[in-house]
Amino acid sequence: MLAPAIAQQAKDSLELSLVQHSPKDTTRINTLNSLSRNYFMKDPVKAAAYANEALKISDSLHFIKGKIWALRNLALVENAKGNLDQQMQLTLSSLRLAETQGDDYVLGVLNNDIGNIFTELNSPREALPYLHKALKIRQKSNERPEIGKTLNNIGSAYIALRVLDSALLFLEKAEKIKLELKDHKSLAYTYENLGIVSMLQQKLGAALRYHTLSLKYYQEAQNLSGIAKASMNLAEVQIFHGNLKEAARNLALADSCNATLQNAKNEMIYYKVKYELDSARKDFASAFDSYKEFSTRSFDYFSAEKGRLISKSQEKYEAEKKQRENIMLKKEQHMHLATIQQQKVLVLSAVALFLALLLITVMVYRLYKKQQELYLQLNNKNREVSLQNQIILEQNNTLESLNQVKDKIFSVISHDLRSPLAILEGLLFLLKDEKIDASQFNKYTDELWRDVKNTAYMMDNMLQWASNQMKGIRVKPDDFDLTHLLNREFELLETLAKQKDINLYHKFDECIMVYADPDMIQLVLRNLINNAIKFTQAGGEISVTATVQKYRVEVVVQDNGMGIPVESQHRIFSNIYYSTNGTKNEKGCGLGLNLSKDFIERNHGQIWFESTPGKGSRFSFTIPVADEPDQGPRPYSTMIVQDHPVTGVQILRR
């Protein structure tokens, strides 16, 4: 325990010198950077505060070295939080400044950092050139502590590539150097990697020994991120050995570290190991809950990774597109210059011939006419090119719109549809392996049925919306009984309401004939009632009423649920895809209300709402009544939108 005490004394000494040295000069910058480097593993918030102050003073003094280390310290803080993209941007900014200074030590550190980031981003092949460059710089200056760290990081990259022989070669070299230097703080990383290799080789005894040493040295260094990783690795090995009590203790330690770090990847791994521990304990209810948490976090984490890759592909496409456009512009410029040069030669030749012989006048005239024809052809070509560019621009806009439709569809399928399927898969897996019996499985059937039905409604909305966006929807109006249509849909919606202990009823007691597209009106009713169920708590009440007026029918769906926040009411019916989870975490795709507005307006109706947060919402729409002999043409009403001091946005009509 001597090393932590010495480290704490060093921190205390630095903080004391910072208090005593108030001038904003390079001495204060160096002290701030040293404190930030010491705190990033234990207290990322404090480390970020020191680094930001160092960066601000360095900018004011144009102190490049201080700015380099401040940016690097901020990058390390982002690494502790699991924000690898932000860490990469900050490290690259620091590297660009370092290259202007020519400091080999700094270049070695930053190339090593970039290699580590690529490894953590699952791009080990991109990491190796940076790591080997860092190793070459450090071997040149014979920096043995830094050589040991770089050898360890190269081993990490080979682990990610699953080239275990090469990984062991570099890790054993790193271990030898660090043991000679008695560098426990750095040995923690090497033993963590050696433990991972041993687990991959099914050498559980060696894995247990390495992960135990790794945890011990991380704790000596007070490295929260390292403690979290080592605890989870050690717990996983202990589960294989059947030492469940120690595994639970180590998982609890990892959980406490994750609560401070808020690292999404570590939290995902924590629930994976907890699922394995609960299964080993035969606590299948807890195992199911852990599997759900792991599934949800893994979807979120890999969706973010997918978004990063898509963004990277888009940037590459835009760069290539600009390069192609520049090449085309240069070609056109060369063609115009060649044409102008040719015209100059022709004009000079014509003038010379005119001065020499009068007879050449006729030839000059003909050449002039030919020149005019060339100009006319060139103008025609330019007009054709402009027209083609306009057509290409319109096609690009259409493709961009279709890509948005495709991205929205895949976003819903990859996240909102896969989530209930993953839960169902987990339950079926436990049932198939006889880890739960049928009676335990039945406890979850109501929840699964509700999730699957909500998903079916959501997919129906999505498909209708995609069809509307990509090829349009034709309205097929007809006279039909609105009461009969509601009764057909009401039984299933009533069952969904009972699942949440909600009283759902309607007051459609007689035939109400309307003139509209029945399929569209059915989807609107289903969306409004399903939304009311989604955002109403247990014991609530939902009513559906209709008022027949002279030329139209007004339908009202009213609930006493949670209501819509005032700051979000402007998003309702807009083109912004707005979706929140229901009172029992029901999900949606954010298309239902936008689609309902479109369908009502296509059928010459109006739709509006009134909502008070905490008291409920009232959604209303109108559609034309069926034609009768004594009726004239159906009028259109005017919609008025006004601000309300209590309820926020309120939509009135007349």
Side-chain angles (χ1 to χ4, degrees):
M1 299 300 295
L2 184 60
I6 294 173
Q8 185 60 45
Q9 289 176 3
K11 292 176 186 176
D12 293 342
S13 175
L14 286 169
E15 289 181 332
L16 179 61
S17 64
L18 187 66
V19 172
Q20 294 174 345
H21 189 86
S22 58
K24 295 182 178 181
D25 55 13
T26 57
T27 301
R28 185 173 180 84
I29 292 171
N30 292 334
T31 305
L32 287 166
N33 278 326
S34 297
L35 279 167
S36 178
R37 181 69 180 86
N38 285 333
Y39 270 107
F40 90 92
M41 294 184 293
K42 181 180 179 182
D43 190 343
V45 175
K46 185 178 286 189
Y50 285 134
N52 278 315
E53 185 182 349
L55 182 61
K56 184 177 180 181
I57 300 173
S58 297
D59 276 333
S60 66
L61 298 178
H62 304 290
F63 183 39
I64 302 299
K65 186 175 180 180
K67 189 173 181 180
I68 290 170
W69 288 113
L71 288 169
R72 197 251 179 168
N73 288 333
L74 288 171
L76 293 176
V77 171
E78 294 300 328
N79 177 270
K81 296 177 182 177
N83 301 328
L84 300 180
D85 286 339
Q86 291 91 325
Q87 184 192 8
M88 177 65 86
Q89 295 303 319
L90 290 165
T91 307
L92 287 173
S93 299
S94 181
L95 180 60
R96 282 192 287 269
L97 289 173
E99 287 173 344
T100 65
Q101 302 298 299
D103 187 330
D104 283 346
Y105 176 78
V106 179
L107 290 173
V109 169
L110 295 175
N111 277 284
N112 182 71
D113 286 352
I114 292 174
N116 288 341
I117 299 169
F118 274 123
T119 300
E120 291 192 61
L121 286 171
N122 293 324
S123 301
R125 294 194 185 280
E126 296 180 54
L128 285 171
Y130 288 97
L131 293 173
H132 282 295
K133 183 176 181 180
L135 181 62
K136 186 176 180 181
I137 292 171
R138 289 168 170 179
Q139 286 175 334
K140 182 179 178 182
S141 57
N142 196 27
E143 302 169 26
R144 287 180 61 76
E146 300 301 327
I147 291 171
K149 292 177 183 177
T150 308
L151 289 169
N152 175 79
N153 296 334
I154 294 173
S156 296
Y158 280 116
I159 290 173
L161 289 169
R162 290 297 189 271
V163 185
L164 301 184
D165 290 342
S166 297
L168 277 174
L169 176 66
F170 285 97
L171 291 173
E172 287 170 355
K173 288 181 179 179
E175 181 190 19
K176 181 179 179 182
I177 292 173
K178 293 175 181 181
L179 284 172
E180 290 174 358
L181 297 172
K182 297 181 181 180
D183 187 357
H184 290 182
K185 180 178 177 181
S186 187
L187 269 171
Y189 295 95
T190 301
Y191 284 138
E192 178 186 349
N193 285 330
L194 286 169
I196 293 171
V197 173
S198 298
M199 288 179 71
L200 292 173
Q201 293 177 334
Q202 299 297 313
K203 298 177 180 179
L204 299 182
L208 183 63
R209 181 171 64 85
Y210 285 131
H211 286 314
T212 301
L213 286 170
S214 176
L215 177 58
K216 175 185 175 183
Y217 293 148
Y218 277 135
Q219 287 174 327
E220 281 186 11
Q222 297 180 329
N223 185 334
L224 286 183
S225 179
I227 292 169
K229 291 187 295 180
S231 298
M232 291 186 290
N233 289 332
L234 189 55
E236 194 164 15
V237 178
Q238 288 168 336
I239 290 169
F240 280 114
H241 278 285
N243 191 352
L244 304 185
K245 184 176 180 181
E246 284 298 312
R249 187 181 66 80
N250 283 313
L251 265 186
L253 176 59
D255 189 34
S256 66
C257 293
N258 288 337
T260 301
L261 295 172
Q262 299 292 312
N263 188 308
K265 184 177 180 181
N266 281 357
E267 289 178 357
M268 177 182 71
I269 296 170
Y270 166 79
Y271 280 106
K272 171 182 173 291
V273 180
K274 190 172 185 301
Y275 161 72
E276 294 171 357
L277 176 61
D278 290 336
S279 296
R281 288 170 164 173
K282 302 191 182 302
D283 184 358
F284 301 118
S286 297
F288 173 64
D289 291 338
S290 298
Y291 185 85
K292 284 174 64 177
E293 293 291 340
F294 166 68
S295 176
T296 300
R297 282 166 170 76
S298 63
F299 284 142
D300 292 342
Y301 180 78
F302 290 113
S303 292
E305 287 294 303
K306 182 185 74 174
R308 182 181 62 80
L309 293 174
I310 289 172
S311 176
K312 188 174 181 181
S313 300
Q314 288 176 339
E315 290 174 1
K316 183 178 179 181
Y317 166 77
E318 291 297 331
E320 292 176 351
K321 180 180 176 182
K322 288 181 180 179
Q323 187 177 8
R324 289 195 298 271
E325 289 174 350
N326 288 336
I327 292 172
M328 290 297 297
L329 287 172
K330 286 181 180 179
K331 286 183 178 180
E332 289 179 3
Q333 185 179 10
H334 286 311
M335 289 176 64
H336 286 306
L337 289 173
T339 302
I340 292 170
Q341 187 66 30
Q342 183 182 13
Q343 291 170 356
K344 286 182 179 179
V345 172
L346 290 174
V347 170
L348 290 173
S349 300
V351 171
L353 289 173
F354 178 78
L355 294 174
L357 297 169
L358 293 175
L359 294 177
I360 303 301
T361 304
V362 176
M363 296 178 61
V364 172
Y365 177 75
R366 290 179 179 177
L367 288 173
Y368 173 77
K369 294 292 292 183
K370 187 174 181 180
Q371 180 182 357
Q372 293 300 314
E373 290 175 2
L374 287 173
Y375 272 119
L376 181 61
Q377 291 175 6
L378 181 61
N379 289 333
N380 289 336
K381 289 291 184 184
N382 286 336
R383 282 195 292 271
E384 290 176 6
V385 170
S386 297
L387 181 60
Q388 289 174 355
N389 286 338
Q390 184 64 30
I391 293 171
I392 291 170
L393 182 62
E394 293 174 357
Q395 291 174 343
N396 285 341
N397 291 335
T398 302
L399 287 173
E400 184 176 356
S401 177
L402 292 176
N403 274 334
Q404 290 178 354
V405 175
K406 176 203 68 178
D407 290 343
K408 182 64 181 176
I409 292 172
F410 278 112
S411 174
V412 173
I413 291 174
S414 66
H415 190 278
D416 296 322
L417 180 58
R418 287 180 63 185
S419 182
L421 290 178
I423 294 171
L424 179 59
E425 179 190 16
L427 271 175
L428 291 175
F429 171 77
L430 293 173
L431 184 63
K432 172 180 174 293
D433 285 1
E434 298 181 354
K435 294 183 177 180
I436 61 174
D437 54 30
S439 62
Q440 288 178 305
F441 181 80
N442 286 335
K443 292 179 181 178
Y444 299 98
T445 54
D446 288 343
E447 180 184 350
L448 284 173
W449 179 84
R450 184 177 68 250
D451 287 348
V452 171
K453 198 61 197 173
N454 282 332
T455 303
Y457 281 161
M458 181 174 61
M459 292 303 294
D460 191 20
N461 281 338
M462 185 187 69
L463 293 173
Q464 290 281 1
W465 174 81
S467 177
N468 190 23
Q469 294 292 312
M470 298 178 72
K471 61 182 181 182
I473 294 179
R474 293 181 60 189
V475 181
K476 300 177 182 177
D478 199 0
D479 292 337
F480 67 94
D481 183 1
L482 183 62
T483 302
H484 178 66
L485 181 142
L486 176 63
N487 286 334
R488 282 188 321 193
E489 193 72 11
F490 206 79
E491 182 178 353
L492 181 58
L493 291 166
E494 200 171 28
T495 304
L496 281 173
K498 288 179 180 178
Q499 287 281 321
K500 294 181 67 175
D501 194 25
I502 294 170
N503 181 22
L504 171 64
Y505 65 93
H506 71 80
K507 296 181 180 180
F508 286 32
D509 298 323
E510 58 184 12
C511 172
I512 301 175
M513 296 301 295
V514 296
Y515 181 77
D517 188 321
D519 292 333
M520 289 184 175
I521 302 307
Q522 181 182 21
L523 184 139
V524 172
L525 279 169
R526 182 197 302 161
N527 274 329
L528 294 182
I529 297 172
N530 192 50
N531 271 1
I533 295 170
K534 178 179 175 183
F535 296 106
T536 300
Q537 299 89 344
E541 186 175 276
I542 301 169
S543 65
V544 186
T545 59
T547 305
V548 180
Q549 301 170 0
K550 185 176 181 180
Y551 296 111
R552 61 188 182 180
V553 175
E554 178 178 333
V555 180
V556 177
V557 178
Q558 184 164 356
D559 65 73
N560 58 357
M562 59 196 294
I564 304 170
V566 174
E567 65 272 14
S568 299
Q569 291 185 8
H570 70 281
R571 301 181 183 177
I572 306 300
F573 300 137
S574 71
N575 290 325
I576 303 170
Y577 303 118
Y578 172 69
S579 177
T580 58
N581 291 346
T583 58
K584 284 201 173 182
N585 205 31
E586 302 99 325
K587 294 184 177 179
C589 60
L591 301 174
L593 291 176
N594 178 268
L595 194 62
S596 298
K597 178 178 182 293
D598 184 41
F599 282 4
I600 291 297
E601 291 177 351
R602 285 174 183 263
N603 285 277
H604 305 298
Q606 295 175 307
I607 186 168
W608 67 95
F609 75 95
E610 299 169 5
S611 182
T612 302
K615 294 184 178 180
S617 301
R618 174 188 173 98
F619 280 79
S620 308
F621 68 89
T622 62
I623 49 176
V625 299
D627 282 330
E628 292 183 4
D630 59 342
Q631 286 184 341
R634 301 183 182 91
Y636 289 87
S637 59
T638 303
M639 181 169 66
I640 302 173
V641 182
Q642 72 172 17
D643 290 333
H644 192 278
V646 178
T647 61
V649 178
Q650 187 175 18
I651 301 177
L652 306 177
R653 60 185 179 80
R654 70 174 184 212

